[in-house]
Amino acid sequence: MSKDSDIEQAAVPANEIKVESVATTPEEQLTSSGTTTGTAVTTVISVTNGGGEKAAAVPALQMTAVEVSAVAAAEQVQPATTVGGIELAASKGGTKSTMDPALINFKVLYVLTQLCGLTMIVLVGTWIGQHFGGLGGSSNPKLEFNWHPLFMTIGFIYLYGNSILVYRGFRTTRKKTLKLTHAGIHMAAFVLTVIALKTVFDSHNLNSPPIPNMYSLHSWLGLSSVIIFGLQYVAGFVAFLAPGLRENYKIAMMPLHIYFGLFGFVLAIASAVMGITEKAIFAITSPPYSTLPPAGVLANVIGVLYVVFGALVVYLATEPSYRRKPIPEDTALLSSNSGNE
């Protein structure tokens, strides 16, 4: 063999591998059973020698048109990691949304607050029912007085606290609805408070001999908190419910409304603790309160629940991460210039 022929053979590769994709025209054929069959797509690997002769044709992969489409769709569609800004966490059954930790904490504390408040009301009812003879009218001043701690607990503590939390407890409700609910709960609390004040004045004035009014620190702070509550209600109604007030005045009044609302609530809690202590000292005499009888223990537990309930309400109302965020309905109502938002 000559040197030139050796060079020519070296320039041409001994074997050449070509990959050819052979596919028939995509069409659907109906079989006798009525099913649809896709045309197969065949990839053939052809191996040729230097002379151009085809050495082999090996079918490497066969896929139906439906399978090709499925693979392409799987490659193009990526699993979503967020929906509306909420991250998704993978699970065995698929994906599930993870709740904001701050919202989880709020819900737990909110439920705990409600349980504390309801327990407080039940214990006050038990206290006056088992140890002080229950409830009565003006014909029996001592029993009429028992309406005072019960209605004050329901209205001036439990309802007052819930009216403060209504904006955060029902965060997905329209703001206009929340404002009406806030005002309605306040009105119910005010009515119960007025009845409670009447019963305590009646029990003093109709007693034989009459008992002096407004001499204790409990009565001073209690009446002060009622006055603040009443002024708050009037100011809030004029500023945020009645139409006509300019927006800049509403903005200026909001911090004051929030502050004095919380201040009045804290003052009501302090008055209630002093009031139940005063009642225990004067009324629990056989055996005396100093020996810590069951009536005295129950009075102390109620006082502790007052404080715990008040602390939870103030925390939930002031924690920035629990603040209610505007919903689309609020924005739409504000843009309509209703004058009440």
Side-chain angles (χ1 to χ4, degrees):
M1 183 179 294
S2 65
K3 184 177 181 181
D4 295 336
S5 63
D6 293 337
I7 296 173
E8 184 179 358
Q9 289 180 359
V12 179
N15 292 311
E16 182 179 355
I17 301 176
K18 296 182 181 180
V19 179
E20 298 177 0
S21 179
V22 181
T24 60
T25 304
E27 60 182 1
E28 294 182 348
Q29 300 175 353
L30 296 176
T31 63
S32 59
S33 60
T35 59
T36 303
T37 305
T39 304
V41 178
T42 305
T43 301
V44 180
I45 301 177
S46 302
V47 182
T48 59
N49 57 19
E53 296 179 353
K54 186 177 293 186
V58 181
L61 178 63
Q62 292 187 353
M63 298 176 65
T64 65
V66 176
E67 292 173 338
V68 171
S69 301
V71 172
E75 293 177 351
Q76 293 177 2
V77 178
Q78 299 296 329
T81 57
T82 60
V83 175
I86 302 176
E87 295 183 355
L88 300 180
S91 64
K92 293 181 180 180
T95 59
K96 62 180 180 180
S97 60
T98 57
M99 191 178 296
D100 183 7
L103 186 57
I104 296 176
N105 293 337
F106 173 82
K107 289 186 174 182
V108 172
L109 292 177
Y110 186 80
V111 171
L112 182 61
T113 303
Q114 300 305 316
L115 292 176
C116 180
L118 294 174
T119 303
M120 177 177 65
I121 294 172
V122 171
L123 291 184
V124 170
T126 303
W127 189 56
I128 62 179
Q130 290 189 352
H131 301 286
F132 298 105
L135 303 170
S138 58
S139 59
N140 191 335
K142 289 185 178 180
L143 295 184
E144 186 183 8
F145 172 84
N146 291 338
W147 288 104
H148 178 74
L150 180 62
F151 278 176
M152 280 295 188
T153 301
I154 297 173
F156 211 44
I157 297 179
Y158 182 73
L159 292 182
Y160 193 173
N162 275 280
S163 68
I164 294 174
L165 296 180
V166 70
Y167 283 97
R168 300 194 173 191
F170 301 91
R171 58 185 62 241
T172 59
T173 306
R174 287 181 54 191
K175 188 176 180 182
K176 182 66 175 180
T177 303
L178 291 178
K179 289 165 71 173
L180 294 174
T181 304
H182 179 71
I185 296 176
H186 265 309
M187 177 56 72
F190 182 75
V191 171
L192 291 177
T193 300
V194 170
I195 296 175
L197 289 177
K198 182 182 183 302
T199 59
V200 71
F201 279 106
D202 284 349
S203 66
H204 284 194
N205 297 330
L206 299 177
N207 192 60
S208 183
I211 301 173
N213 294 310
M214 301 300 299
Y215 70 90
S216 65
L217 181 60
H218 162 67
S219 62
W220 285 21
L221 294 183
L223 188 59
S224 299
S225 61
V226 172
I227 293 173
I228 293 174
F229 180 86
L231 294 176
Q232 271 284 102
Y233 190 86
V234 174
F237 183 86
V238 172
F240 306 110
L241 278 179
L245 193 66
R246 295 174 59 180
E247 192 66 27
N248 56 343
Y249 289 122
K250 294 182 181 181
I251 296 173
M253 286 193 63
M254 181 58 72
L256 296 175
H257 185 69
I258 294 174
Y259 171 77
F260 281 103
L262 288 174
F263 175 71
F265 176 71
V266 172
L267 195 58
I269 294 292
S271 302
V273 171
M274 286 188 289
I276 200 168
T277 303
E278 183 180 300
K279 176 68 174 177
I281 292 174
F282 288 159
I284 303 176
T285 56
S286 181
Y289 178 49
S290 59
T291 62
L292 208 62
V297 173
L298 191 54
N300 291 352
V301 171
I302 293 171
V304 171
L305 288 177
Y306 284 157
V307 175
V308 173
F309 180 79
L312 287 172
V313 169
V314 172
Y315 175 73
L316 293 177
T318 57
E319 172 58 35
S321 61
Y322 300 154
R323 187 173 301 161
R324 176 184 180 272
K325 296 180 181 179
I327 60 177
E329 289 81 355
D330 297 340
T331 306
L333 191 59
L334 184 62
S335 62
S336 66
N337 296 322
S338 63
N340 292 327
E341 286 293 316

